[in-house]
Amino acid sequence: MMIDMTGKTALITGASRGIGESAARVFAEAGANVVLVARSSDDIERIASEIGDQAIACTCDISSYESVQSAVTKTVETFGCLDVLINNAGGLEPISHLATSDPEGWGKIIDINLKGVYYGMRAVMPIMQAAGGGSILTISSGAAHGPVEAWSHYCASKAGVNMLTRCVDKEERANGIRAIGLSPGTVATQMQRDIKESGINPVSQLEWSDHIPPEWVAQCLLWMCGPEADDWIGDEISLRDEDIRRKVGLI
Ligand code: NJP
């Protein structure tokens, strides 16, 4: 069943390519106003203009709270509301064993993948509280739950993000805020190209055809805005789960 997002506004981080770009297109098709966030401007501006008047591009580095706050302010000024936050932006480089990792590079991933998600939540929650609710959907990973060689920064950040979803739910479910995580499985995006190039762990040995298309993740995110996903509020959905794929209409 198609979820109708007419009159709703979604802010999507990491929307210049991959999962975020697909989410922007799928949410716009469902009627939502969409705000595309990334550090680089060219791609989000192109994608927003392809989508049309219901889309704006907002250059923003989610590892800066000030930058996230101004993206949220611009969203509300432009569309008058902010109903859905999709915490999607993330990174994985530099891939390296913990013993030889670069402390600065390691910390930068925490700044983006963990603190960036917190900044998004922190900036939108007062708006959602005042509006009587909203959805905060955060891309997690299987790496939140099991260690992966040479990804210690990524695993730690995604484990933290999973706990942030649970904390938001504990504090805000009563205020109508639906916090849900999504572990997508492996997805055919630039991130998987970088992983392949590293050659380090079993994920880098996967074939391109093993990955699901980013559109599947986007369709799942849209489904997560509807009542059928309410059973997962405060929890994490796995898109590897065939039952979820069936519910979303992917198989
Ligand atoms: O990645 P990619 P995906 N501030 O590299 C942006 C998770 N995930 O779509 O800033 C703002 O194609 C960047 O734009 P730019 C994964 O951990 C994936 O695969 O201009 N934006 C680009 O738009 C991540 O959380 C797989 O460089 C920032 C986007 O983020 C999410 O899915 C498996 C930013 C990254 O696009 C999307 O990943 C899994 C910043 N500081 C979880 N830093 C998978 N692909 O297999 C980056 O379990 N961006």
Side-chain angles (χ1 to χ4, degrees), residues 14 16-17 19 39-40 61-62 88 154 158 185 187 189 192:
S16 63
R17 57 176 190 256
I19 294 170
R39 290 168 300 188
S40 55
D61 181 346
I62 64 156
N88 165 74
Y154 187 79
K158 293 296 186 181
V187 190
T189 67
Q192 283 297 338

Side-chain angles (χ1 to χ4, degrees), residues 109-136:
I109 286 301
I110 299 296
D111 289 344
I112 298 169
N113 291 10
L114 179 59
K115 288 164 76 176
V117 167
Y118 156 73
Y119 292 155
M121 291 169 164
R122 169 66 184 85
V124 304
M125 276 165 62
I127 293 159
M128 290 183 177
Q129 285 171 335
S135 294
I136 299 179

